[in-house]
Amino acid sequence: MLFPSILSLAATFAFAGKNQSGYGVAAFQSPASISQRLLVPSFSGRFNPLRANVDDDDDEDFIDELSARKLGINIGAELPKITQEEIDEIRSKVQATLDEKVDARLAEIAELKAQLEKDALESKQRMKNASDLNAQFEKQSLMEKIDRLSEDFLNANAELRESTKRAADADKLA
């Protein structure tokens, strides 16, 4: 429902006039008195809080009429006027600040990129070293397996080889 959100946005004070020094004075009002004023059908008779969600055009008309009403101090009238030179000076300072901040952020990004590239190279080198160590380990493991199989074969056939040697020695003597 649109109406409660408008009430929550309404200020709880209204412009009461100017004091002897010419400054604006605000008079505080309770939210109840504000809501009573808003509920009064003084808005072309079209606003009905019971039918607030029925027609969106009515809500928009109500907001337009509400925005046309003065609910507080005109802050723009209270601010000092700024010359074009001051505006240009402010713009140049803002632009310089923005440029400085953007340049600093770009420098941070460049440093981050360089750090990431360095980290990537270090990671690549660590992976290469790990791969080399893994290959060396596998080579050592394979050599041990070959040695163990050779040893087992030689141990299993030692008696046969010994008898073959004796037979060969006997043939030489004969």
Side-chain angles (χ1 to χ4, degrees), residues 17-25:
K18 293 185 178 183
N19 65 9
Q20 292 175 348
S21 302
Y23 292 105
V25 178

Side-chain angles (χ1 to χ4, degrees), residues 144-156 161:
E144 288 174 0
K145 187 176 181 180
I146 290 172
D147 289 344
R148 190 175 55 248
L149 288 173
S150 298
E151 187 73 27
D152 290 346
F153 177 77
L154 291 176
N155 288 339
R161 284 184 292 123

Side-chain angles (χ1 to χ4, degrees), residues 74-83 86-87 90:
N74 183 0
I75 295 174
E78 302 293 325
L79 295 174
K81 299 293 182 194
I82 299 176
T83 65
E86 291 172 327
I87 291 172
I90 291 170

Side-chain angles (χ1 to χ4, degrees), residues 149-174:
L149 288 173
S150 298
E151 187 73 27
D152 290 346
F153 177 77
L154 291 176
N155 288 339
N157 296 328
E159 192 176 312
L160 179 62
R161 284 184 292 123
E162 194 60 38
S163 65
T164 306
K165 270 188 187 178
R166 277 186 246 142
D169 286 342
D171 284 341
K172 282 187 189 178
L173 289 177

Side-chain angles (χ1 to χ4, degrees), residues 6-7 13 19 23 32 40-41 47 64 79 92-93 106 113-114 116 122 130 133-134 139 161 169-170:
I6 291 173
L7 280 179
F13 63 92
N19 65 9
Y23 292 105
V40 174
F47 177 71
D64 291 340
L79 295 174
S92 65
K93 287 180 181 178
L106 288 175
K113 183 179 177 183
L116 288 174
E122 289 174 357
L133 290 173
N134 191 27
K139 179 181 174 184
R161 284 184 292 123
D169 286 342

Side-chain angles (χ1 to χ4, degrees), residues 98-146:
L98 285 174
D99 291 343
E100 179 182 320
K101 296 298 180 184
V102 167
D103 290 342
R105 186 66 180 140
L106 288 175
E108 285 178 23
I109 291 170
E111 288 175 13
L112 182 61
K113 183 179 177 183
Q115 183 65 36
L116 288 174
E117 288 174 354
K118 179 183 171 190
D119 291 347
L121 287 174
E122 289 174 357
S123 176
K124 188 176 181 180
Q125 185 62 37
R126 281 192 304 269
M127 287 174 47
K128 183 182 179 302
N129 290 343
S131 177
D132 291 345
L133 290 173
N134 191 27
Q136 186 178 1
F137 174 76
E138 290 298 324
K139 179 181 174 184
Q140 182 69 25
S141 177
L142 182 60
M143 293 303 288
E144 288 174 0
K145 187 176 181 180
I146 290 172

Side-chain angles (χ1 to χ4, degrees), residues 6 10 38 43 61-71:
I6 291 173
L38 292 176
F43 303 105
D61 293 341
F62 173 71
I63 292 172
D64 291 340
E65 290 178 25
L66 184 61
S67 67
R69 295 182 74 186
K70 294 191 179 202
L71 298 175

